[in-house]
Amino acid sequence: MKLSVIIPCHNEEKNIFLFYDEFKNAFKYYKNTFELIFIDDGSKDNTFKELKKLVEKKENIDNIKALSFSRNFGKEAAMYAGLKEAKGDYVCIIDADLQQKPSIILDMIKILDKEKEYDCVCAYQNNRKENRLMTKIKRTFYKIINSTSEVKFVTGASDFRLFRKSVAESIITLGEHHRFLKGIFSYVGFNTFYIPYEVEERVNGKTNWNFTKLVKYAIDGILSFSNLPLKLSLYFGNFIFISSIIYLIVALILKLEIVTTLMFFFIFLSLSIILIFIGITNLYIARIYDEVKSRPNYIIRSTISTEKNNKK
Ligand code: UDP
Ligand code: MG
């Protein structure tokens, strides 16, 4: 088995066969050298039924496996499940909605075949079809995370990647519950080759992202890879402490009427800052709690595959 392709799917009923046909077309000269691993991440539509049809297709000679989660656990969990299933020497993660063209995987394979010093090829979006505000928000996120995090993030780098088995194995060994794969890829290291790619329009269905989900995802990333927010309280605390001493001295010398007003202002300011940082600390505590509970990242309801053609 040469290549394992991981395809996370959430409400993609109309895209399963389209994806498969496009993939098959791109890989027509590569028969039996790949396995497709679809992960149905708790879809509410007929995604798993479509996957069943695909697996049971008589003329199907490809290696196809489909897992279905007991509920929606998120794309990170779906990718993790796929990584655990992958047996190929090369592993690829690609979306089901054809926004990422399967033919690009062939270019990625060529790079890894030729450039032995590289272990991963990552596709980054050079111009994403989205509004300017969104692009600006994303740029700001990358700036914040890069200036505060222990590992570096490449702007626009997607989950659309091809990497060697060794990279997949090292990612699986990381036991953290809150998984932020973009950061994990940077954390495990290895040499990464970046190629630009054009994001296509979604063929069917709609994006699973909205503004709130993106903000949550960004906070997840920062909490996973940066401890700076925790330290900020110390910096602010010191700053307020020094400011209040200066303020006290000035107030004593000047004996100003404005003093009472300013005093209230500082009391409220300090209180709000204290509350904000208690909040930030609580975010980390909540994550520690989640890690300690060590619940699984996902629960599999059923698995089907062309290999055994059996159902669990
Ligand atoms: N996805 C998933 N679980 C989720 C959300 C998304 O498995 O909870 C899958 C989805 O089916 C798609 C990929 O992740 O194959 C990317 O999702 P989407 O197209 O919604 O994101 P976008 O391309 O808009 O960033
Ligand atoms: Mg998409």
Side-chain angles (χ1 to χ4, degrees), residues 6 37 39 67 77-87 91 298:
I6 300 167
I37 306 166
I39 291 94
L67 314 181
M79 293 189 287
Y80 184 41
L83 285 170
K84 282 191 172 170
E85 291 293 330
K87 295 186 196 80
V91 182
Y298 55 86

Side-chain angles (χ1 to χ4, degrees), residues 8 10 12 41 72 75 95-97 99 202 207-209:
H10 181 64
E12 304 282 7
D41 181 15
N72 179 234
K75 189 185 173 188
D95 290 353
D97 56 12
Q99 285 195 275
R202 212 175 212 284
T207 175
N208 290 284
W209 293 95

Side-chain angles (χ1 to χ4, degrees), residues 184-224:
I184 289 179
F185 271 114
S186 304
Y187 176 82
V188 294
F190 295 99
N191 286 338
T192 304
F193 192 102
Y194 291 91
I195 56 165
Y197 86 107
E198 200 69 40
V199 184
E200 307 295 326
E201 293 292 342
R202 212 175 212 284
V203 281
N204 285 303
K206 57 179 193 328
T207 175
N208 290 284
W209 293 95
N210 54 36
F211 186 71
T212 328
K213 274 194 183 170
L214 267 180
V215 171
K216 221 180 135 261
Y217 182 67
I219 293 176
D220 252 1
I222 292 171
L223 293 182
S224 287

Side-chain angles (χ1 to χ4, degrees), residues 169-180:
E169 281 168 352
S170 59
I171 290 174
I172 295 168
T173 56
L174 300 185
E176 63 212 71
H177 179 79
H178 282 276
R179 302 186 75 84
F180 188 76

